[in-house]
Amino acid sequence: MDADTHYSSDVAFTPSVKEIQTRKGSRRSYARVEERGGWATAITPELKVFVESQISFFMATANKDCQPYIQHRGGPPGFLRVVNDKTIAFVDYVGNRQYITQGNLADNDKAYLFLIDYGSRSRVKIWGTASVVEGDQALINHLMPKGYQARPEQVIQFNVDAWDANCPQHIPLRFEANEVLKAMESRDVRIKELEAEIAALKAAASKR
């Protein structure tokens, strides 16, 4: 391949990474990904559904000295919103007011989103750039989840450069508490129905 050819996956597969892949025997398989153009660069309908179903994700940034920082964000399904096929946005709520992510983005707009769904054992990695939008109340109102009890402060917009989905290997199978409660409630309802049926059958049998 032409050494001057660039692929979307180069955002992660730097020359140093590719050298290690070659040395450890995985370069050939990733070269096939590059032959197909590299990773996806636009949000597909399937990815939109996955993104907007999340209640938690991690966002990585780095300051001008390349010191990395990861911040957790959470909210109800839909709090992380796909604006278009290249943009994801969410309302940034008032928290501990350290503003490390915002400070990092002021110096270095490169950012990364890591989404993981333990119930479906799925994870998605998204590379891109991000910016903070302050003072836009209309945008906050548009993105703020209805009825969610949090104090909105600003909006963070993420522009997608490339994304990739990982295999489920080594992802522990876990379920959200509300999903477990719903399953238990459904089970309890069914148990009561069966107990009522058994009682009715016993009553009918005793009259024979």
Side-chain angles (χ1 to χ4, degrees):
M1 293 185 182
D2 188 345
D4 293 328
T5 301
H6 296 286
Y7 306 97
S8 57
S9 46
D10 286 348
V11 69
F13 295 161
T14 63
S16 295
V17 171
K18 291 181 180 182
E19 187 280 325
I20 294 172
Q21 290 174 348
T22 299
R23 179 162 54 84
K24 296 199 172 189
S26 61
R27 176 93 284 267
R28 182 176 298 177
S29 63
Y30 289 117
R32 287 196 291 269
V33 174
E34 293 170 347
E35 289 170 359
R36 297 193 295 271
W39 292 332
T41 58
I43 299 170
T44 62
E46 294 77 14
L47 179 60
K48 181 179 187 296
V49 170
F50 182 79
V51 167
E52 296 187 343
S53 68
Q54 299 309 300
I55 60 174
S56 177
F57 74 95
F58 297 91
M59 181 174 180
T61 57
N63 62 25
K64 62 182 179 180
D65 296 321
C66 300
Q67 177 64 47
Y69 177 71
I70 296 177
Q71 190 165 45
H72 170 263
R73 282 290 181 264
F79 87 104
L80 187 61
R81 188 84 61 85
V82 172
V83 178
N84 54 51
D85 67 354
K86 295 290 290 185
T87 310
I88 298 171
F90 62 94
V91 176
D92 195 23
Y93 309 128
V94 175
N96 58 20
R97 303 177 72 85
Q98 291 183 344
Y99 301 115
I100 299 174
T101 293
Q102 185 169 358
N104 286 355
L105 291 175
D107 293 331
N108 177 3
D109 67 352
K110 293 187 183 300
Y112 170 90
L113 302 182
F114 183 79
L115 285 62
I116 185 165
D117 187 316
Y118 292 99
S120 63
R121 299 180 70 215
S122 304
R123 56 187 165 190
V124 173
K125 305 174 294 186
I126 310 176
W127 285 263
T129 57
S131 60
V132 177
V133 181
E134 297 182 275
D136 192 334
Q137 191 59 47
L139 184 59
I140 289 177
N141 293 342
H142 176 66
L143 295 173
M144 187 69 186
K146 298 294 185 293
Y148 188 55
Q149 298 302 307
R151 286 193 296 152
E153 182 169 10
Q154 54 202 7
V155 169
I156 293 181
Q157 291 189 156
F158 185 94
N159 300 309
V160 176
D161 288 337
W163 66 272
D164 182 45
N166 278 91
C167 70
Q169 188 176 23
H170 306 306
I171 300 177
L173 185 61
R174 297 175 181 170
F175 298 98
E176 298 298 329
N178 63 328
E179 296 175 345
V180 175
L181 288 173
K182 286 180 182 179
M184 292 176 66
E185 289 172 357
S186 177
R187 178 208 61 187
D188 292 343
V189 168
R190 184 55 179 157
I191 288 174
K192 289 182 179 179
E193 291 174 348
L194 292 173
E195 288 177 339
E197 290 179 13
I198 292 171
L201 290 171
K202 287 183 177 179
S206 65
K207 293 178 181 179
R208 293 177 182 174

